[in-house]
Amino acid sequence: MPDWKLSDRRDDPRTFEPAGAAEAERAARFRRQDDAQDYLHARWLMRQLAARCLPGLIDPQLESFDDARPIIHGHTEIGVSWSRSGPIACAVLLRGALVGIDIERIEDRDTAAILGMVARPQEIDLINSIEVKSDQLAAFHRLWTAKEAILKCRGEGLRGGAKSVEVPAEYLTGAEGNLIIHDRAVELCLMRLDVENEACCSLAFSAQKPI
């Protein structure tokens, strides 16, 4: 099973500093200091998890690429993924397997336009059929995070196309939070992680296909 960790920056008074020039350059592109801190916080969390799970790894170096699978420098056999939504961040690590994670804060928003871009017709119909607004928003965020987690697990990110991912109805409705699915002939475990009600977090991983 993967090791994962959740962190809320609002509970930590420290100022997060970049680990190296690449992080510093990326953080400097953010217009808002809070956004830069959220970015640095998520990467700090991933390093903390790696150091905890990999004894002897004193200073984990993260290498990440646009819409491609991130790695820990010198440890390509270990699957890692991290995500942030505002001050809330999550990270996951799994030895010898593919993994992806996504977290989103649950916010009241107009979902119609987003669904049109990311969801399959049957997914749209299911979500729109939910009458209670809070339940509909929860289903929407399960859809969103599940698709992102699976795309990250593939190593494609959003360039893989959210509509290429099918999320089971029982996951969307919340009836099941731990499922085995088939994605491009690979068996994945899709899990909803138990986080605060403020956010929704999905994790996808496979032990079938080694890195």
Side-chain angles (χ1 to χ4, degrees):
M1 289 291 290
D3 290 289
W4 64 278
K5 189 173 178 62
L6 177 77
S7 177
D8 190 331
R9 189 171 65 82
R10 293 168 295 187
D11 298 331
D12 194 326
R14 83 184 74 188
T15 297
F16 293 91
E17 300 294 338
E23 272 192 20
E25 181 182 354
R26 180 67 182 89
R29 297 178 194 170
F30 291 96
R31 294 184 179 181
R32 297 175 62 250
Q33 180 64 16
D34 275 349
D35 294 337
Q37 281 293 291
D38 292 341
Y39 163 78
L40 293 171
H41 166 238
R43 294 177 68 94
W44 166 85
L45 181 65
M46 185 71 254
R47 289 193 296 271
Q48 290 292 304
L49 180 62
R52 187 188 78 186
C53 296
L54 303 171
L57 187 61
I58 305 300
D59 184 23
Q61 299 296 313
L62 304 181
E63 295 183 10
S64 57
F65 318 92
D66 291 341
D67 284 336
R69 187 175 292 114
I71 61 171
I72 300 173
H73 181 73
H75 293 272
T76 56
E77 77 286 359
I78 298 170
V80 295
S81 182
W82 62 91
S83 178
R84 72 183 191 277
S85 184
I88 304 173
C90 58
V92 64
L93 178 152
L94 182 59
R95 295 173 183 269
L98 307 175
V99 67
I101 198 168
D102 190 63
I103 192 167
E104 296 293 341
R105 287 182 294 174
I106 298 176
E107 299 176 344
D108 190 2
R109 65 183 83 206
D110 181 4
T111 61
I114 302 174
L115 284 173
M117 292 186 291
V118 304
R120 295 183 174 200
Q122 68 270 25
E123 295 167 342
I124 295 174
D125 290 344
L126 188 153
I127 290 175
N128 287 338
S129 71
I130 300 173
E131 296 181 358
V132 179
K133 181 65 174 178
S134 60
D135 293 342
Q136 188 182 85
L137 278 173
F140 167 79
H141 285 84
R142 290 186 203 109
L143 174 86
W144 185 349
T145 58
K147 285 178 179 275
E148 287 249 27
I150 292 168
L151 287 168
K152 288 181 179 181
C153 192
R154 287 182 187 173
E156 295 178 347
L158 288 176
R159 67 183 170 83
K163 290 185 179 181
S164 70
V165 175
E166 182 175 4
V167 183
E170 56 267 39
Y171 191 85
L172 295 181
T173 62
E176 294 287 347
N178 190 340
L179 294 170
I180 298 297
I181 65 171
H182 290 84
D183 181 69
R184 295 186 174 177
V186 175
E187 276 195 351
L188 297 180
C189 182
L190 176 63
M191 296 178 59
R192 186 175 68 251
L193 298 183
D194 184 17
V195 299
E196 300 291 337
N197 290 334
E198 181 184 358
C200 179
C201 185
S202 292
L203 166 64
F205 64 93
S206 171
Q208 280 189 313
K209 185 178 178 181
I211 293 174

